[in-house]
Amino acid sequence: MFFHVKQMTKNLAVDPKDYGPGLVDTIKRKLVTEVENTCSERFGFIVKVIKIDVDRLEGKINPTGMKPGGTAVFTVPYDAIVFKPFKGEVINGLVKTSAQQGLFVQCGPMQVFIAKTNLSDGRLSEEPDHLEWDADHAPPCWKSRDGSLIIKDGSLLRLRLIGVRMSNDITNSNGVGTILGDFLGPIDA
């Protein structure tokens, strides 16, 4: 997986009740709550905020016109560990669901689907490691003809991403993968 540290900024609205000696702690707590475990199309999954630059905080009070208010918006610079998967990247994951159509694999915060056409090359059906769906096995799984290779719920896999879709909604960020290739497939735990 490709994790890296990214410098980012976030505009945070702070209510007047939070002004005072604890303002910096309030801003830190609010930033971590709003940013960690979210997803950005541009940066990927924001895993952890590791540094908040409180020396460069800039706040501006929002104009409220005739209404009482006084909410301030602070531009907060911070460093975060992000996970941004790329097409062609090789990553490890845990099989969450195995079905006749393929596998759903959890790779960190991202779910990857491996279609049955990307599990086994149909032209090599006579090969001993050719994978086939076995509904009679308990639990149902993908296994090789000779039974030496079994992929089921809970199996660890190494896969290559062939497509990635990032969204600002973490539940809509997913990928498509394959285990066809050298050094890809089940990992012995």
Side-chain angles (χ1 to χ4, degrees):
M1 290 192 200
F2 185 59
F3 292 94
H4 62 279
V5 176
K6 188 77 180 163
Q7 294 178 345
M8 297 187 273
T9 60
K10 172 83 173 164
N11 292 330
L12 290 177
V14 179
D15 292 326
K17 65 179 179 161
D18 295 321
Y19 298 166
L23 178 63
V24 171
D25 293 332
T26 301
I27 290 173
K28 286 180 179 180
R29 186 175 58 256
K30 194 168 189 174
L31 177 75
V32 168
T33 303
E34 287 187 19
V35 170
E36 280 187 2
N37 299 320
T38 61
C39 186
S40 162
E41 283 182 49
R42 183 174 174 199
F43 301 116
F45 297 98
I46 301 171
V47 179
K48 180 82 174 153
V49 175
I50 55 172
K51 180 183 171 193
I52 301 171
D53 191 356
V54 293
D55 297 333
R56 297 189 299 148
L57 284 178
E58 295 179 13
K60 294 183 181 178
I61 296 178
N62 284 339
T64 58
M66 298 297 288
K67 298 178 185 176
T71 301
V73 176
F74 286 86
T75 302
V76 185
Y78 65 98
D79 294 345
I81 297 174
V82 297
F83 166 58
K84 175 90 186 231
F86 295 100
K87 181 180 174 182
E89 183 176 5
V90 175
I91 58 176
N92 297 338
L94 182 70
V95 176
K96 288 295 183 184
T97 307
S98 55
Q100 188 172 2
Q101 296 79 16
L103 301 170
F104 288 96
V105 182
Q106 195 69 41
C107 300
M110 181 175 69
Q111 183 166 292
V112 177
F113 177 68
I114 304 175
K116 64 181 176 182
T117 56
N118 291 321
L119 286 171
S120 191
D121 192 349
R123 294 175 289 134
L124 303 174
S125 60
E126 300 305 317
E127 295 290 323
D129 61 349
H130 174 77
L131 293 174
E132 295 177 340
W133 175 249
D134 185 4
D136 297 330
H137 191 272
C141 65
W142 287 88
K143 72 177 193 178
S144 61
R145 273 180 200 233
D146 62 1
S148 63
L149 195 64
I150 295 178
I151 301 175
K152 59 184 180 181
D153 295 1
S155 297
L156 291 173
L157 286 182
R158 179 165 294 133
L159 60 101
R160 175 174 286 114
L161 293 172
I162 55 177
V164 177
R165 185 180 70 168
M166 298 300 291
S167 170
N168 287 331
D169 181 8
I170 198 164
T171 59
N172 290 332
S173 297
N174 50 39
V176 178
T178 182
I179 60 168
L180 297 177
D182 294 336
F183 309 107
L184 302 177
I187 303 170
D188 296 329

